[in-house]
Amino acid sequence: LINEIKKKKKKIWFFFSSSSHIYKYSKNSIKENFVKKPISYYGRTKLLAEKKIINNKNANFKFCIGRIFSMYHKNQKKPFLFPSIKARIQSNSKDKLFIKNAFSKRDFLNAEEVVEIIFKIYKKKLKGIYNIGSGKGTTIEKFVRKQFKVKKEIISDNKINSLVSNNKKLIDKIYE
């Protein structure tokens, strides 16, 4: 795609949808310049794509990379968190519900909110790298209780980590 864009004579603005999974886990909210240490194969491929885009030296090519944090939607399919939890709740008749990393913090945004933010980015033709998130950390356990009205006891492994956006840079640009 980048090679084809390079062939164009007119100016191109390109948006790349990346992920928070390129970052190392952190107890603090994560800024765009935070340590890149992908936590999955998905994160590694997103970071590789970002590097290809950033290293493209073409005066006609302007880009924006949006690092989306935890996006969810009622119509998502497995293996995403939202549908996976929903299926587990529906199939589990026990008093307890096991959720891996339940006490880890994530930065959740509904897909419609993500689309609205990307549209604002598009209208301003922002350039550079921006985190797309709420800026608020919520444990997976609290997210599940709120979204699915779960009353069962939630149990988890002892793995606790955090991926929460510092979205000040984006907010400052969108509303300037």
Side-chain angles (χ1 to χ4, degrees):
L1 184 59
I2 291 170
N3 290 337
E4 290 303 311
I5 290 171
K6 282 181 180 180
K7 294 176 187 176
K8 301 290 181 191
K9 300 293 183 224
K10 65 179 186 173
K11 290 189 182 235
I12 301 283
W13 181 85
F14 179 75
F15 179 83
F16 179 69
S17 174
S18 191
S19 170
S20 64
H21 289 270
I22 66 134
Y23 293 119
K24 176 181 177 181
Y25 292 124
S26 175
K27 291 179 183 174
N28 301 316
S29 63
I30 297 170
K31 292 182 179 183
E32 291 81 357
N33 63 354
F34 189 70
V35 177
K36 280 43 153 209
K37 186 176 179 186
I39 56 179
S40 64
Y41 178 75
Y42 172 75
R44 286 191 300 276
T45 60
K46 288 291 191 179
L47 186 56
L48 284 171
E50 282 190 22
K51 287 178 180 178
K52 285 271 190 200
I53 293 165
I54 292 166
N55 292 329
N56 177 41
K57 305 297 182 211
N58 183 332
N60 289 333
F61 180 68
K62 304 296 180 209
F63 66 87
C64 180
I65 295 172
R67 293 179 179 153
I68 301 169
F69 279 67
S70 295
M71 181 173 60
Y72 69 96
H73 192 271
K74 64 181 179 184
N75 295 333
Q76 270 180 321
K77 306 287 184 228
K78 286 183 179 181
F80 291 100
L81 177 69
F82 190 84
S84 297
I85 297 290
K86 184 177 180 181
R88 198 171 312 136
I89 290 168
Q90 291 171 341
S91 68
N92 186 335
S93 60
K94 299 176 185 169
D95 294 339
K96 296 179 181 181
L97 178 65
F98 177 80
I99 300 174
K100 185 178 176 182
N101 298 327
F103 305 111
S104 293
K105 285 187 181 177
R106 294 293 180 268
D107 186 327
F108 292 101
L109 271 182
N110 189 288
E112 281 100 1
E113 293 172 291
V114 173
V115 169
E116 286 176 22
I117 291 167
I118 293 171
F119 188 66
K120 288 176 183 177
I121 289 170
Y122 166 74
K123 283 173 46 177
K124 292 226 174 203
K125 296 288 192 278
L126 293 182
K127 296 175 201 106
I129 299 170
Y130 298 90
N131 286 335
I132 298 175
S134 68
K136 299 173 194 150
T138 303
T139 65
I140 294 171
E141 183 250 354
K142 284 182 183 173
F143 173 78
V144 168
R145 290 198 187 284
K146 182 179 178 186
Q147 295 299 314
F148 301 106
K149 312 295 185 238
V150 170
K151 303 285 186 215
K152 299 176 185 191
E153 179 184 355
I154 293 178
I155 55 174
S156 182
D157 53 14
N158 288 327
K159 295 179 181 172
I160 299 175
N161 53 57
S162 182
L163 278 176
V164 178
S165 167
N166 177 322
N167 56 359
K168 183 180 179 345
K169 179 181 170 187
L170 178 65
I171 290 170
D172 288 350
K173 281 291 191 180
I174 286 178
Y175 298 107
E176 69 180 6

